[in-house]
Amino acid sequence: MLYQFARPLLFKADAETAHNLSLAALKMLPIPSLGSHSPVLAQTFAGVRFPNPVGLAPGYDKNAEVPVEILRLGFGFTEVGTLTPLPQKGNPKPRLFRLLEDEAVINRMGFNNEGQQAAISRLRNIPDKARKGPIGINIGANKDSADRVADYVIGVRNMEALADYLTVNISSPNTPGLRALQDKAALDDLLAQVMAARTRDRPVFLKVAPDLQPADIDDIVGVALSRGIAALIVSNTTISRPALVSRHAGEAGGLSGAPLRAMAQQRIVDFRKASGGQMPLIGVGGIASAQDAYARIRAGASLVQIYSALVYQGPGLARTINTQLAGLLQADGFANIAEAIGVDG
């Protein structure tokens, strides 16, 4: 309710300024615990216990400034980053755009972040009792790096001790050439080196793009399974442009939000089919309601992540989704969320 009053003021500012204001508010304001404790929503996934399946996608808390506050908002987990070995400014501003009429966002941020060392100092100071859910760390490569694979290896070594899971992000459209790492041979080399770099038994997830052909999906699944990847995050923003009406529709960058919903849902179906249900999946893209989350779970996702919908619905969305999701499970006769995963497949 408070967000509905604040939203018009936030929307008078440009999108990136509003984003920074929301971070400042989380740091300053007392955040009551909105966590969902319904036992039907809890599960152990990739060896990690998740109190509920709704996570915050990376991109919001890039520098690990507010992971505890995010978990208090009712999220079952949060993913910080994308973090690169060295700080980088990202792409020139403006680089973040609201598409109000489409309930969408276009971004071309370019992995702007303060670097892994700054995040390490913050994450080390989080008391164990404050970690009300898993904190994942999303790692990427610096734009000007001479060896991007080496950057991911550095990311593993720097961040694994502080992460409940690591995500290898090769799916951003805003770092030139990054998505080429999804090609079969390049992906196999990358994942071989990433997995070999681990000194701890931390699960590694791989985040992929939605803009894939069937052969790409088969290749990604095959490599991920062979290299011991714990889950695929499906998917990042799209470079495609479905019918849009906002004045920002022509901006370059990755599109997220409601227009991505159908494509992201289909990719869960595609990856589930390609893996024969053997590759655990996390659904992302266009999820704005419990019904959206439930559809992704029934299609094969064990967890979901949201982000763009928060811009339009506010910080209470995770709690709302979890409350309603428990009701949907009960209405369909499921004793817990695990029973619903992939039933439509």
Side-chain angles (χ1 to χ4, degrees):
M1 186 178 297
L2 289 174
Y3 183 75
Q4 298 309 312
F5 288 105
R7 181 177 133 160
L9 295 175
L10 286 172
F11 278 28
K12 287 183 179 180
D14 69 87
E16 190 165 352
T17 298
H19 171 94
N20 292 332
L21 287 171
S22 71
L23 284 171
L26 284 178
K27 292 176 185 177
M28 293 187 299
L29 299 176
I31 307 296
S33 179
L34 302 178
S36 173
H37 302 292
S38 174
V40 304
L41 298 179
Q43 63 180 306
T44 297
F45 177 80
V48 180
R49 185 184 183 279
F50 292 81
N52 71 62
V54 181
L56 179 62
Y60 179 77
D61 190 16
K62 289 178 177 290
N63 296 302
E65 296 177 84
V66 289
V68 171
E69 290 81 359
I70 288 166
L71 292 171
R72 289 182 65 82
L73 289 173
F75 287 94
F77 63 107
T78 186
E79 189 170 318
V80 303
T82 298
L83 291 165
T84 53
L86 300 176
Q88 63 181 23
K89 293 182 179 180
N91 292 322
K93 299 178 182 181
R95 55 194 180 181
L96 183 63
F97 306 90
R98 303 185 200 90
L99 282 68
L100 273 70
E101 298 85 352
D102 301 295
E103 293 191 354
V105 172
I106 289 175
N107 93 83
R108 51 174 181 266
M109 304 299 287
F111 284 176
N112 60 305
N113 72 107
E114 296 174 3
Q116 290 166 6
Q117 292 304 317
I120 287 170
S121 65
R122 296 186 180 108
L123 291 165
R124 279 178 175 163
N125 289 325
I126 299 175
D128 288 342
K129 64 181 181 180
R131 297 174 76 109
K132 301 299 184 183
I135 298 175
I137 300 179
N138 186 297
I139 57 173
N142 282 110
K143 179 179 179 180
D144 298 329
S145 175
D147 187 344
R148 286 181 173 169
V149 173
D151 276 14
Y152 286 98
V153 169
I154 292 168
V156 171
R157 291 173 176 164
N158 282 343
M159 310 309 300
E160 64 173 346
L162 296 164
D164 291 298
Y165 68 85
L166 291 167
T167 295
V168 174
N169 184 2
I170 56 171
S171 54
S172 169
N174 301 314
T175 298
L178 188 72
R179 286 190 173 189
L181 289 173
Q182 294 179 134
D183 295 342
K184 186 176 183 179
L187 181 61
D188 188 58
D189 178 57
L190 169 67
L191 296 185
Q193 294 197 46
V194 162
M195 298 303 285
R198 296 186 307 161
T199 62
R200 297 168 182 263
D201 188 22
R202 291 288 187 269
V204 175
F205 301 164
L206 176 67
K207 187 164 185 172
V208 300
D211 309 298
L212 297 168
Q213 298 301 314
D216 300 325
I217 294 172
D218 289 339
D219 286 345
I220 289 169
V221 167
V223 172
L225 285 170
S226 70
R227 291 300 178 186
I229 295 302
L232 295 177
I233 300 179
V234 184
S235 58
N236 210 319
T237 58
T238 180
I239 56 174
S240 68
R241 290 295 184 269
L244 301 169
V245 299
S246 168
R247 65 187 178 92
H248 293 307
E251 293 289 347
L255 173 71
S256 59
L260 182 57
R261 182 180 298 120
M263 177 186 284
Q265 176 77 19
Q266 183 60 46
R267 289 297 169 269
I268 287 288
V269 174
D270 296 340
F271 275 97
R272 176 84 172 181
K273 181 178 179 181
S275 71
Q278 297 305 302
M279 174 55 70
L281 304 172
I282 299 171
V284 195
I287 296 171
S289 68
Q291 289 75 20
D292 294 337
Y294 193 40
R296 218 65 59 97
I297 290 163
R298 291 181 63 103
S302 297
L303 305 170
V304 299
Q305 290 178 320
I306 62 175
Y307 182 3
S308 296
L310 295 173
V311 174
Y312 299 100
Q313 299 193 47
L317 181 58
R319 182 188 188 187
T320 299
I321 290 176
N322 281 314
T323 299
Q324 296 178 1
L325 184 56
L328 291 170
L329 290 168
Q330 183 179 22
D332 284 347
F334 296 117
N336 55 62
I337 191 169
E339 293 182 359
I341 296 169
V343 294
D344 290 341

